[in-house]
Amino acid sequence: MRALVKVKLGEENVIMDVPIPEIAADEILIQVKAAAICGSDIHKFHWDPSMHMYEKYLPLIFGHEFSGVVAKVGVDIQPHE
């Protein structure tokens, strides 16, 4: 999938192909249909000083505000009735 990624400190943000995540037994995979940028993404984009706490999570994919459809369900997920 294509994503805007903050690869590491001191580098610009890169649009790149990243693998579709594998899910654990207790997770679901959402096929994103629309994504948006929120305020924290702007701070991460510019790597403001307040973003140092996210350094351990690099690389970071932008756009955590999203909507989509369920693409895959982990084996431990029980349907809601």
Side-chain angles (χ1 to χ4, degrees):
M1 66 182 185
R2 303 282 285 163
L4 177 61
V5 182
K6 171 68 79 178
V7 178
K8 60 183 179 179
L9 297 179
E11 292 196 8
E12 62 185 62
N13 305 290
V14 179
I15 295 175
M16 58 191 295
D17 289 317
V18 297
I20 295 173
E22 294 294 325
I23 61 170
D26 63 343
E27 296 178 327
I28 62 171
L29 180 67
I30 304 295
Q31 180 184 13
V32 176
K33 297 293 187 177
I37 301 297
C38 81
S40 66
D41 286 322
I42 294 169
H43 293 290
K44 289 173 193 155
F45 185 89
H46 296 292
W47 206 254
D48 295 343
S50 63
M51 296 293 105
H52 72 279
M53 67 183 133
Y54 293 101
E55 184 175 354
K56 63 184 174 184
Y57 300 112
L58 293 172
L60 287 169
I61 296 176
F62 292 89
H64 62 264
E65 305 286 345
F66 65 91
S67 66
V69 296
V70 175
K72 191 173 182 182
V73 178
V75 297
D76 289 345
I77 302 293
Q78 299 299 315
H80 180 40
E81 298 185 26

